[in-house]
Amino acid sequence: RPDMVSMQKESTSDVRRPLELLLAAVVLVFLIGCVNVGSMMLARSSGRASEMATRLALGANSLSLFRQMIVESLFVAALGGVAAVAIGTVTLKGLAEFGAGLFPIIDEASLDGRTLLALVAMVLVATVLAGVFPALRAVRVSPRAAQAGVRTVAGRRHVYSMGTLATVQVALAVPLLIGAGLLGRTFLHLWNLNPGFDAGAVYAAKISLQDARYTTSETAGRLLTDGAARIAAIPGVEAAAAGLSLPFE
């Protein structure tokens, strides 16, 4: 029975799977970045433990300190979002200029409202992933630390937290590195693969037969036969032929 598919799915079938793999890699890189920023925020909050303990001893509210830490994380994530918009704009222009043959629908891609909404959602997610845990650790400092005059209040819990974040970061990086290694190995294998024919000095072109003059098989076949004969008559051309598709296409 006939299988009905949407026009969008059919036009993007060749690039859908590579883009899905690229999206998975981007998500892993995003999570690694969040964990990395979270580790730095945790180290920074540990360095400010004496400040937080002093403010708590002077009567500051834990909720206000928590909000301050979240706002700082949101500011860092917002800076990353602005940088992402700039890099995305330049990347789209580069793909539209150099990758039109690989991505036929690249001209339709743009940073529209949906993209910006997705970016805002990612900024909020990055704020939560990278800022909440360090903020909770920062506001749980004992006010006695201010009387002790110490600069950091690390202890075993801080070491455990840093170790946990490092473990998560390594766990996210290992699949990404394995995938990159397999991709590089596959690329090298295909680059050195013998296709079984010599593709040197071979040129290929595509033509469309959607003209009203080529509605029958006889007229279309006559066009292909006459066209191949004319091309073969060009000086320097050794052979010319017509086919429905290229090898491995």
Side-chain angles (χ1 to χ4, degrees):
R1 64 180 184 178
D3 186 14
M4 303 292 292
V5 296
S6 63
M7 183 176 181
Q8 180 184 11
K9 184 177 181 180
E10 176 64 24
S11 59
T12 59
S13 59
D14 295 336
V15 297
R16 181 178 296 272
R17 183 58 60 86
L19 289 180
E20 289 177 351
L21 295 176
L22 180 62
L23 178 61
V26 169
V27 171
L28 286 177
V29 174
F30 174 72
L31 293 178
I32 292 174
C34 290
V35 175
N36 193 12
V37 175
S39 300
M40 292 187 293
M41 295 291 292
L42 182 60
R44 184 171 179 269
S45 64
S46 299
R48 299 173 60 186
S50 180
E51 172 193 348
M52 295 298 175
T54 301
R55 296 176 64 178
L56 290 174
L58 294 176
N61 190 1
S62 299
L63 183 59
S64 62
L65 297 180
F66 179 79
R67 286 199 299 264
Q68 176 186 345
M69 299 292 293
I70 292 298
V71 169
E72 293 177 359
S73 301
L74 181 60
F75 178 74
V76 174
L79 290 179
V82 173
V85 172
I87 296 174
T89 302
V90 176
T91 303
L92 280 179
K93 291 182 179 180
L95 288 177
E97 184 175 355
F98 301 105
L102 298 177
F103 302 98
I105 60 173
I106 192 62
D107 294 334
E108 303 177 6
S110 61
L111 297 178
D112 53 4
R114 294 176 298 178
T115 307
L116 295 179
L117 286 178
L119 178 62
V120 172
M122 294 182 67
V123 167
L124 295 178
V125 171
T127 303
V128 173
L129 294 178
V132 170
F133 183 66
L136 290 175
R137 292 299 308 272
V139 299
R140 290 180 179 178
V141 178
S142 174
R144 295 181 179 178
Q147 300 176 358
V150 295
R151 184 172 175 231
T152 60
V153 183
R156 293 182 179 179
R157 290 188 301 174
H158 172 67
V159 176
Y160 175 76
S161 301
M162 294 294 292
T164 301
L165 291 178
T167 302
V168 173
Q169 189 172 2
V170 172
L172 292 173
V174 166
L176 189 63
L177 291 176
I178 293 176
L182 292 176
L183 182 62
R185 178 183 177 185
T186 303
F187 177 77
L188 292 177
H189 176 71
L190 293 177
W191 184 267
N192 299 320
L193 182 65
N194 184 10
F197 57 89
D198 185 12
V202 177
Y203 296 90
K206 293 184 179 181
I207 60 174
S208 175
L209 300 180
Q210 296 180 357
D211 195 285
R213 295 173 296 177
Y214 310 111
T215 56
T216 62
S217 59
E218 290 78 8
T219 56
R222 190 180 307 112
L223 172 66
L224 297 178
T225 303
D226 295 343
R230 292 183 179 182
I231 295 175
I234 298 176
V237 177
E238 297 182 0
L244 297 178
S245 62
L246 295 176
F248 307 112
E249 187 177 46

